[in-house]
Amino acid sequence: MEPRANFRSFADRMEAEKSEHTALFFESLNGKWDFLFLEAPEYSPEDFYKTSCSTDKWDKIEVPGNWQRQGYGDMHYSDLWYNFPIIPPFVPTANPTGIYRRTFNLDTVQEDQQYILRFQGVDSAFEVYLNDQFVGYSKGARIQSEFDLSDLLTTGTNTLTVRVFQWSDGTYLEDQDMWWLSGIFRDVDLFTRPKEGLYDFTIQTLLNKNFTSATLIVNPVFTELADQKIVYELLDKDGNKVVEEEKNGRESLVKTITEPHKWSAESPYLYQLLMTVKKDGKVVEVINQKVGFRQIEVQGNCFLVNGVAIKLKGVNRHDYSPTTGRVTTKESIEKDIVLMKQHNINAIRTAHYPNSPYFYDLCDEYGMYVIDETDLECHGFELTEDYKWLSDNPEWEEAHVNRIKRTIQRDKNHPSIIMWSLGNESSFGYNFRKMAEYAKKTDPTRLVHYEGDFEVEVSDVYSTMYTWLEREDDKLTMDKVITNTKKPHILCEYGHAMGNGPGNLKEYQDLFYQHDHIQGGFIWEWFDHGIESVSEEGEVYYQYGGDFGDDPNNGNFCIDGMLLPDRTPSTSLIEYKKVIEPIETKVIDSVSGFYQLTNRLDFNTLADYQLICQFYEDDRLIEERNETIPETLARKSSTIRICYPEVVFKSGALYTVRFVYQLKNTAAWAQKGFEVTRSVFVWHKEKPLAETNKTNTSEIKVREQQAFVTVEGDQFSFRFDKVKGKLLEAYYNKEKVIEKGPEMNFWRAPIDNDMYLLEDYKNKYFMHLPHESVREVQCETKENTFEMRVSAYYGTTNSAWYYDLDYKYVIDSSGQISFSIDGIASGRKLLAPPMLPRLGVSLQIAKDFDTVSWRGLGPLENYSDSRQAAYLGVFTNSVDDLFVNYVKPQENGNHMECDWVGLTKENNALLVKTNNTFDYSVSRYEAIDLEKAKHTIDLKKRDYVVLNIDTCQNGLGSNSCGQDQLDKYRCKFEDFSLQFTIALEEIAQKNIAEIAREN
């Protein structure tokens, strides 16, 4: 059938308003189907489509479903490659094929009704047979296909057969970055529409220059014109009639609405349009369509929604489930959108194909700007040295244009869609010009998007991917885009959320805010595409490319989302939520309590939010109060003054104020009181008292041997290796507390965003192979204090660059260790790497010290270029819970700006303190464990806790696909200094924060 909008017919107005089917026939054909899986279509039984063909030996399969997730065929993930030779339009003889069959019953077949069989998604091509007859054939795996069954149906039992081919010539246009999955994976419906009813309709809304009135245009389409009348009723949210008018079926409705409520992602106001089709005074059908009044246009180098150059705070979203593959439900899609709204996201690019119709209904309802992307990608042709092979070949024009046509015709009535995207990563040429031509002629009310249109020949926006903020070569950077673009700019992909990362999100967002024509972007991407699996021990983990013997594959490149496969928000999603927060708070004068609030919304005031101010002394809540948010228009700032509580400041304590912004009223996506963002500031930090005399002192005894030295007191014992200049172990009250003392370390388990650094890291700089050359060790005891000084060089295999190190250990009569390390960057410094993974020391602590408290940035992991969601405070968590369970294990769990960290066991705490600040992380795994593990089930816990204390750690960047670490966030080969003390403290009477404030 000709493509058309997705809608339903109802028997009367009451049923239309309820959107429930009663009188008209509608049946979902989802469920169990008979299934025969074959290596190629030529192996099909000759009578496979006939009712006489026995299915007794066939299997059962779930529809919707991907057959690879139900035990048929092979799982395969690739980002780039086709799984067969590129000889378009030909595909391999080995072409896995699934034959689906089911029956359904009809009590009657009504002559005045058209019976439609609708498929929302079948990968990649399929044939339909009904009652021994061929019905039709369709390509376009993720686009709606409808078939007219009216002439082939019978009363009683009807037999439906669908033969699905994994590969077709359409596959050449469907090389998206995702798992190759096949079969009927979206809903299948059988329903009727009156033959004299509406076949299709197009709704447009045009706003005047002042946006004070709007013109509603409805263009109806009938297949059988027979003097039908259409009664149009436009109802507001409260059911009040705004419009009521009857028109001849041949005419369009053109109606002016004064002062309409406008639709935007911030205020997704929807009207109901009831269209009652009548013939000879009788109701033929009633259609209920939601309408949103909004206008999209380009002025100068900005695109506007309702007159405002909006900022897209978006994500790219695939259909995905860790268990069912590409099968999603309305409920799962709604969960996605609710979660996005809760994280301040306002836009979605449907990468890289149209989604289920549910998706657009929900985006209309909840408020999401949508770039609706055509099911088209030819990425593998990039490797043929003829990227334009298909895109510039007129023989493939219809194949290209048909896809954008079906996308637009199905989705055209959704206000959430602001752009039609022609596809993704398919070069550019004749066929894209024709696609754009069709889009602009068919729907001039929306913009055309295509990132592959590098010269912006047909695109209404200049779209780029992963454009860097800074780089040393001459390639495109954001400053060049800002200066040179004549059209609005968006980043259709940036911030590659693979593993631990991305970094630099704030820098991008700052640019978006600084320039009207730089209008935001879409993080790649929403969901990790891990496949849920269970180990022999019953532990759930997630597989990725290569785990199924698939070759070639792109490994864990599909694990690149802000949601972990179990739907847990990753740190990157929490960070993004903060970066795109609706209310930005900055200090004007913290002493007197003046702060600036900036409304980062495009339309709304801050009237929907309430402000709770919480005042903390370290981890103790002193006071909490509601504050009045000043009236602040969209994109404007205001000033607020906060009165601090009257408190007696305690020595060494940190006093912070938390601005917690919550929903004032319940919204569609969250309850009243939901936290949309928070900002935390230090309003006072009291100096610690001078050190007091300690009571738990004892006489130090030192026993030296040829290679070792032991330092003892009544309650402690330390053993050093004088050859290596290292603390070997530490006992308190005869219990081993430190398994191994501080050792210099500049290696971290590689994160995914380090992937392009590893070749140099390992094979040029050998940074994973450090060596220490101890030059001198001096031990001295005086005034009941032991001191050991160590001089050493620290470098890597075959390196001529190195650190000249000075260590110092001081043990006093209470058993406290003062440790310092000073490093001078030395040797052939020009040969050193531009970045070090980290710079600090690593210790091993007894495994029972399994609770961690710290004063610094928390509560989640944070890094120099990913720390906006973190804030200063005192936090407590377990060692196990601080581990971030990335699908592919890697460096995780860092916390910056700490002045103390304590590991506790029962009533004892091993307290590490500094007069400056350090980064810390704890783990039950060494870096080598994380580096070698492919999956979380490969990790085996050590018999100790690894404690890393760093003076710096390299930023995260986004260089698995995008910007590497910005210069200011790089851990460089430079001089450094790190000092801290280690002491065992009893915490039975005081909490660890109180003890940490002492001395």
Side-chain angles (χ1 to χ4, degrees):
M1 293 170 61
E2 275 295 302
R4 64 196 188 106
N6 183 283
F7 64 93
R8 291 183 180 180
S9 294
F10 297 90
D12 55 46
R13 191 178 189 280
M14 182 181 298
E15 299 304 327
E17 286 193 89
K18 292 191 299 183
S19 292
E20 294 178 0
H21 274 277
T22 53
L24 293 184
F25 178 82
F26 180 91
E27 181 177 352
S28 169
L29 298 185
N30 294 347
K32 293 288 186 182
W33 289 51
D34 295 322
F35 184 69
L36 179 64
F37 186 69
L38 306 164
E39 293 182 18
E42 290 80 5
Y43 293 114
S44 302
E46 289 186 9
D47 60 348
F48 74 91
Y49 60 93
K50 294 184 178 180
T51 54
S52 60
C53 178
S54 173
T55 60
D56 292 346
K57 295 183 179 180
W58 292 23
D59 298 329
K60 294 287 186 180
I61 197 168
E62 191 72 31
V63 173
N66 292 121
W67 67 52
Q68 289 88 347
R69 299 303 302 138
Q70 301 186 67
Y72 304 96
D74 299 319
M75 293 288 295
H76 198 133
Y77 166 66
S78 67
D79 163 43
L80 180 60
W81 303 291
Y82 291 99
N83 287 340
F84 48 75
I86 297 177
I87 316 172
F90 300 102
V91 295
T93 301
N95 187 0
T97 298
I99 302 178
Y100 296 75
R101 172 173 288 188
R102 65 159 294 159
T103 60
F104 57 88
N105 292 309
L106 293 177
D107 294 333
T108 182
V109 178
Q110 301 177 57
E111 290 295 325
D112 63 343
Q113 298 290 309
Q114 183 181 30
Y115 288 77
I116 299 172
L117 175 65
R118 180 171 60 199
F119 295 86
Q120 294 294 355
V122 184
D123 196 327
S124 72
F126 64 105
E127 299 168 338
V128 179
Y129 299 83
L130 182 70
N131 298 334
D132 300 353
Q133 300 296 313
F134 176 70
V135 176
Y137 170 80
S138 183
K139 296 178 289 189
R142 288 157 282 275
I143 313 176
Q144 176 174 290
S145 302
E146 291 184 326
F147 300 89
D148 184 355
L149 303 187
S150 305
D151 296 336
L152 299 176
L153 290 168
T154 62
T155 56
T157 301
N158 290 265
T159 301
L160 176 64
T161 304
V162 182
R163 182 163 65 164
V164 181
F165 314 106
Q166 178 161 348
W167 310 126
S168 69
D169 57 345
T171 306
Y172 283 104
L173 302 180
E174 296 170 355
D175 186 25
Q176 290 96 337
D177 174 11
M178 58 189 183
W179 291 95
W180 291 96
L181 296 171
S182 314
I184 306 172
F185 69 95
R186 287 187 185 156
D187 292 340
V188 185
D189 300 322
L190 177 65
F191 61 98
T192 62
R193 57 165 287 273
K195 291 180 179 179
E196 293 184 333
L198 278 170
Y199 182 77
D200 195 12
F201 57 90
T202 302
I203 296 174
Q204 295 181 345
T205 61
L206 305 177
L207 278 69
N208 69 357
K209 289 184 178 180
N210 298 322
F211 304 100
T212 56
S213 68
T215 302
L216 172 65
I217 303 171
V218 184
N219 295 317
V221 175
F222 290 90
T223 52
E224 295 183 11
L225 272 172
D227 297 323
Q228 296 97 327
K229 306 288 186 182
I230 305 176
V231 178
Y232 296 95
E233 297 174 84
L234 187 69
L235 310 179
D236 65 15
K237 274 191 174 181
D238 298 322
N240 301 312
K241 283 186 184 178
V242 180
V243 170
E244 182 173 17
E245 185 166 334
E246 182 175 285
K247 302 288 287 186
N248 189 294
R250 298 175 183 272
E251 298 178 281
S252 297
L253 175 72
V254 180
K255 194 71 177 176
T256 299
I257 316 296
T258 57
E259 299 295 339
H261 295 281
K262 293 181 284 294
W263 186 99
S264 70
E266 295 169 19
S267 299
Y269 193 99
L270 293 173
Y271 292 81
Q272 277 191 92
L273 178 64
L274 292 171
M275 294 175 280
T276 302
V277 180
K278 294 182 176 181
K279 172 75 185 302
D280 299 329
K282 295 181 180 179
V283 174
V284 176
E285 66 178 343
V286 183
I287 294 164
N288 185 352
Q289 176 66 44
K290 298 293 179 65
V291 175
F293 288 92
R294 58 99 188 93
Q295 182 149 311
I296 304 130
E297 57 190 329
V298 174
Q299 286 187 10
N301 60 356
C302 296
F303 75 83
L304 312 180
V305 174
N306 299 339
V308 176
I310 64 167
K311 301 299 180 185
L312 299 174
K313 302 168 182 178
V315 291
N316 287 274
R317 180 192 173 276
H318 270 291
D319 284 341
Y320 173 71
S321 163
T323 53
T324 58
R326 211 172 295 141
V327 180
T328 56
T329 62
K330 182 178 181 180
E331 292 72 26
S332 69
I333 294 171
E334 189 165 20
K335 285 181 181 178
D336 280 352
I337 293 174
V338 166
L339 202 55
M340 289 177 191
K341 293 291 288 189
Q342 291 176 350
H343 287 84
N344 301 323
I345 291 164
N346 73 356
I348 304 169
R349 176 177 173 232
T350 66
H352 300 290
Y353 41 81
N355 283 197
S356 296
Y358 305 131
F359 170 83
Y360 304 94
D361 293 335
L362 292 165
C363 288
D364 294 342
E365 177 184 342
Y366 283 98
M368 280 284 172
Y369 300 118
V370 175
I371 296 182
D372 198 9
E373 192 147 277
T374 309
D375 187 11
L376 202 160
E377 180 167 339
C378 306
H379 204 169
F381 282 89
E382 185 177 7
L383 303 180
T384 67
E385 299 186 1
D386 187 5
Y387 205 174
K388 296 182 177 183
W389 191 332
L390 299 187
S391 64
D392 203 31
N393 183 349
E395 292 182 3
W396 286 74
E397 176 185 343
E398 173 60 20
H400 284 70
V401 174
N402 177 265
R403 289 172 181 252
I404 186 68
K405 176 182 180 181
R406 288 160 67 189
T407 300
I408 291 175
Q409 293 300 336
R410 189 196 69 170
D411 298 338
K412 59 193 172 187
N413 294 326
H414 290 280
S416 55
I417 299 171
I418 62 171
M419 298 183 198
W420 302 115
S421 180
L422 306 182
N424 185 64
E425 293 178 325
S426 301
S427 190
F428 187 72
Y430 173 88
N431 294 325
F432 279 96
R433 294 185 185 97
K434 289 297 183 180
M435 292 174 74
E437 181 181 312
Y438 175 85
K440 292 181 178 185
K441 180 179 179 181
T442 304
D443 183 14
T445 70
R446 292 183 176 91
L447 308 185
V448 168
H449 166 274
Y450 179 54
E451 181 270 340
D453 181 12
F454 299 134
E455 302 301 321
V456 205
E457 179 185 335
V458 300
S459 299
D460 295 310
V461 294
Y462 177 37
S463 178
T464 63
M465 289 184 182
Y466 308 106
T467 308
W468 288 33
L469 296 161
E470 62 182 34
R471 59 192 309 160
E472 296 178 359
D473 55 31
D474 293 328
K475 292 184 179 179
L476 187 67
T477 51
M478 286 300 298
D479 60 334
K480 296 176 183 176
V481 170
I482 292 166
T483 302
N484 298 329
T485 182
K486 301 296 190 295
K487 290 189 176 183
H489 176 264
I490 63 169
L491 284 161
C492 66
E493 294 180 22
Y494 81 110
H496 201 250
M498 188 176 180
N500 189 353
N504 312 320
L505 293 181
K506 184 178 188 301
E507 281 71 21
Y508 280 103
Q509 197 64 35
D510 286 346
L511 284 183
F512 301 156
Y513 288 142
Q514 288 166 16
H515 305 277
D516 285 346
H517 67 295
I518 308 300
Q519 296 194 243
F522 298 80
I523 300 296
W524 187 268
E525 64 167 303
W526 176 241
F527 222 142
D528 278 351
H529 295 202
I531 301 298
E532 185 175 306
S533 306
V534 181
S535 69
E536 294 179 357
E537 292 74 26
E539 184 179 353
V540 174
Y541 71 105
Y542 297 92
Q543 294 182 292
Y544 46 78
D547 286 334
F548 300 91
D550 42 326
D551 184 26
N553 67 80
N554 288 97
N556 68 316
F557 207 65
C558 59
I559 309 296
D560 53 4
M562 290 187 150
L563 275 191
L564 303 179
D566 64 358
R567 302 194 72 86
T568 300
S570 70
T571 310
S572 64
L573 183 55
I574 309 301
E575 176 78 357
Y576 193 41
K577 175 179 180 175
K578 173 63 178 175
V579 167
I580 59 176
E581 62 190 348
I583 310 170
E584 184 180 289
T585 311
K586 290 185 177 180
V587 174
I588 297 175
D589 185 338
S590 63
V591 176
S592 55
F594 282 97
Y595 295 85
Q596 176 180 281
L597 310 185
T598 299
N599 182 349
R600 290 300 188 186
L601 300 173
D602 292 316
F603 298 99
N604 291 358
T605 69
L606 299 182
D608 292 332
Y609 307 107
Q610 61 187 9
L611 170 60
I612 312 296
C613 278
Q614 301 170 337
F615 302 89
Y616 276 83
E617 175 189 83
D618 283 336
D619 56 349
R620 183 175 74 88
L621 178 64
I622 302 170
E623 184 180 326
E624 178 177 284
R625 71 172 93 103
N626 292 331
E627 297 284 353
T628 300
I629 299 176
E631 183 175 342
T632 312
L633 298 178
R635 299 182 162 203
K636 300 296 182 181
S637 298
S638 58
T639 301
I640 187 172
R641 186 179 186 188
I642 302 298
C643 295
Y644 302 122
E646 294 185 7
V647 295
V648 177
F649 295 129
K650 295 180 181 178
S651 62
L654 180 72
Y655 295 85
T656 57
V657 54
R658 301 180 182 181
F659 288 69
V660 181
Y661 298 95
Q662 301 174 341
L663 285 182
K664 187 180 293 184
N665 300 297
T666 294
W669 45 271
Q671 294 295 311
K672 175 183 177 179
F674 177 82
E675 182 177 319
V676 294
T677 190
R678 71 169 53 192
S679 295
V680 180
F681 304 94
V682 175
W683 57 277
H684 184 79
K685 186 174 184 180
E686 187 73 1
K687 293 181 180 179
L689 292 175
E691 186 171 351
T692 57
N693 293 327
K694 298 177 180 178
T695 57
N696 59 337
T697 61
S698 61
E699 182 180 352
I700 286 181
K701 299 175 183 179
V702 178
R703 292 184 288 111
E704 290 200 56
Q705 299 170 295
Q706 180 179 355
F708 304 97
V709 59
T710 302
V711 181
E712 296 178 326
D714 291 344
Q715 296 178 321
F716 59 85
S717 174
F718 302 92
R719 189 163 182 259
F720 291 88
D721 185 325
K722 292 195 297 181
V723 176
K724 295 180 179 178
K726 296 287 184 288
L727 173 64
L728 296 180
E729 56 190 14
Y731 286 81
Y732 286 95
N733 297 326
K734 298 183 180 180
E735 182 178 4
K736 184 184 281 189
V737 174
I738 299 177
E739 304 274 352
K740 183 190 287 186
E743 288 193 347
M744 172 71 182
N745 178 34
F746 54 40
W747 185 248
R748 73 179 181 191
I751 63 173
D752 288 319
N753 285 319
D754 288 337
M755 64 170 59
Y756 297 113
L757 300 174
L758 291 183
E759 176 62 26
D760 281 356
Y761 270 177
K762 290 200 165 187
N763 297 325
K764 180 178 180 180
Y765 301 112
F766 301 101
M767 293 179 65
H768 62 304
L769 300 174
H771 304 272
E772 190 162 86
S773 303
V774 175
R775 306 195 319 274
E776 184 179 17
V777 176
Q778 295 179 337
C779 297
E780 183 180 10
T781 305
K782 59 181 180 181
E783 298 179 357
N784 209 26
T785 300
F786 171 80
E787 182 176 300
M788 185 172 84
R789 292 179 175 271
V790 180
S791 298
Y793 295 132
Y794 189 87
T796 69
T797 292
N798 202 55
S799 65
W801 56 275
Y802 59 89
Y803 273 107
D804 187 345
L805 299 178
D806 282 317
Y807 296 92
K808 183 179 179 181
Y809 301 84
V810 178
I811 301 175
D812 67 13
S813 58
S814 68
Q816 176 177 281
I817 308 172
S818 296
F819 171 81
S820 66
I821 178 173
D822 295 297
I824 299 174
S826 305
R828 304 292 177 88
K829 292 193 283 186
L830 292 177
L831 301 177
M835 290 180 272
L836 302 178
R838 69 185 336 141
L839 203 50
V841 296
S842 179
L843 302 84
Q844 295 174 3
I845 310 299
K847 67 178 181 179
D848 292 336
F849 284 80
D850 55 7
T851 300
V852 188
S853 301
W854 73 97
R855 187 165 75 181
L857 291 181
L860 301 177
E861 62 181 342
N862 46 87
Y863 296 81
S864 58
D865 57 358
S866 179
R867 52 174 291 175
Q868 301 308 308
Y871 53 90
L872 283 172
V874 172
F875 306 95
T876 297
N877 210 333
S878 69
V879 171
D880 290 335
D881 286 344
L882 285 169
F883 178 72
V884 184
N885 211 19
Y886 290 111
V887 171
K888 185 178 186 299
Q890 53 199 276
E891 153 66 30
N892 68 89
N894 189 63
H895 295 274
M896 299 179 65
E897 295 190 15
C898 301
D899 56 9
W900 61 262
V901 59
L903 287 80
T904 59
K905 171 192 173 185
E906 297 173 349
N907 290 327
N908 289 321
L910 190 70
L911 191 61
V912 181
K913 294 176 59 178
T914 183
N915 290 327
N916 301 305
T917 61
F918 52 67
D919 291 11
Y920 97 89
S921 62
V922 291
S923 177
R924 296 199 182 276
Y925 311 105
E926 295 280 7
I928 189 65
D929 302 329
L930 299 173
E931 187 174 352
K932 287 185 175 181
K934 283 189 64 180
H935 303 95
T936 53
I937 58 167
D938 300 327
L939 292 171
K940 307 301 177 188
K941 292 181 179 179
R942 297 277 184 162
D943 284 336
Y944 51 82
V945 173
V946 177
L947 171 62
N948 294 302
I949 303 292
D950 295 319
T951 183
C952 74
Q953 188 174 155
N954 207 28
L956 303 175
S958 183
N959 198 214
S960 52
C961 199
Q963 173 75 58
D964 63 11
Q965 289 82 351
L966 296 178
D967 184 73
K968 63 182 178 180
Y969 297 133
R970 294 183 175 188
C971 184
K972 297 181 180 179
F973 180 60
E974 296 174 340
D975 298 351
F976 74 95
S977 182
L978 180 64
Q979 303 90 29
F980 54 84
T981 62
I982 307 175
L984 189 73
E985 304 281 358
E986 292 187 8
I987 57 171
Q989 305 301 320
K990 298 180 179 180
N991 71 35
I992 192 168
E994 293 175 305
I995 293 175
R997 291 199 294 259
E998 297 174 356
N999 304 328

